[in-house]
Amino acid sequence: MKSTSVAGTVAVVSVDGDKTLANSKRMVFIYSTDTTSTDFTTSISGEYLKFRGRQPIIVQYGKLSAELELPKDNAQNYKLYALALTGKRLEEIPTKIEDGKMYINLDTSKLKKEPSVFYEIVAE
């Protein structure tokens, strides 16, 4: 991760068997910013919960800049997709691939379908 505009969790994990990230053809990238329930309410100090809230869950927008080293033999074949919580692909996210690295510049406010915290990185 190079930078993020808001606090959040950034992680990447291989999801194709026993392959390491260095050899993975399929990974899940996570950019999880602050979330809360609609109408979630606490006391002024934030110490006491007044109302747990209701759905839908609100996800904070964020901008992220990151680099990921890819297997050099087919780095140009990797794509990045925003995922729904079900794992369904929502949309492709444009990236730049150069010198075996994927450069990710993600602005979650620009996603077309719905907020996402999970992204698939896959060799196609």
Side-chain angles (χ1 to χ4, degrees):
M1 185 201 46
K2 303 290 269 177
S3 66
T4 180
S5 63
V6 296
T9 298
V10 178
V12 64
V13 63
S14 171
V15 291
D16 57 351
D18 58 355
K19 292 185 180 177
T20 64
L21 282 174
N23 298 309
S24 185
K25 305 283 188 242
R26 188 164 176 255
M27 298 163 261
V28 171
F29 180 81
I30 301 165
Y31 181 42
S32 181
T33 57
D34 194 20
T35 60
T36 190
S37 302
T38 300
D39 296 330
F40 176 84
T41 311
T42 63
S43 62
I44 292 173
S45 68
E47 192 172 344
Y48 300 103
L49 176 66
K50 287 183 155 186
F51 180 63
R52 186 177 326 186
R54 58 182 172 75
Q55 291 189 350
I57 301 298
I58 300 167
V59 179
Q60 183 181 24
Y61 291 132
K63 294 179 183 178
L64 172 85
S65 175
E67 302 177 1
L68 180 65
E69 199 161 322
L70 299 169
K72 295 201 185 324
D73 60 333
N74 68 343
Q76 294 299 322
N77 297 329
Y78 281 79
K79 303 286 185 189
L80 176 68
Y81 295 95
L83 299 177
L85 289 176
T86 61
K88 177 184 173 191
R89 288 181 183 172
L90 296 172
E91 64 185 274
E92 183 176 348
I93 306 297
T95 61
K96 181 173 108 178
I97 297 178
E98 190 174 272
D99 297 326
K101 289 185 181 177
M102 176 181 277
Y103 294 88
I104 300 168
N105 289 298
L106 179 62
D107 181 346
T108 61
S109 72
K110 305 288 187 208
L111 296 175
K112 295 176 186 135
K113 297 195 178 196
E114 62 186 66
S116 182
V117 297
F118 299 108
Y119 300 85
E120 179 184 30
I121 299 171
V122 61
E124 295 185 328

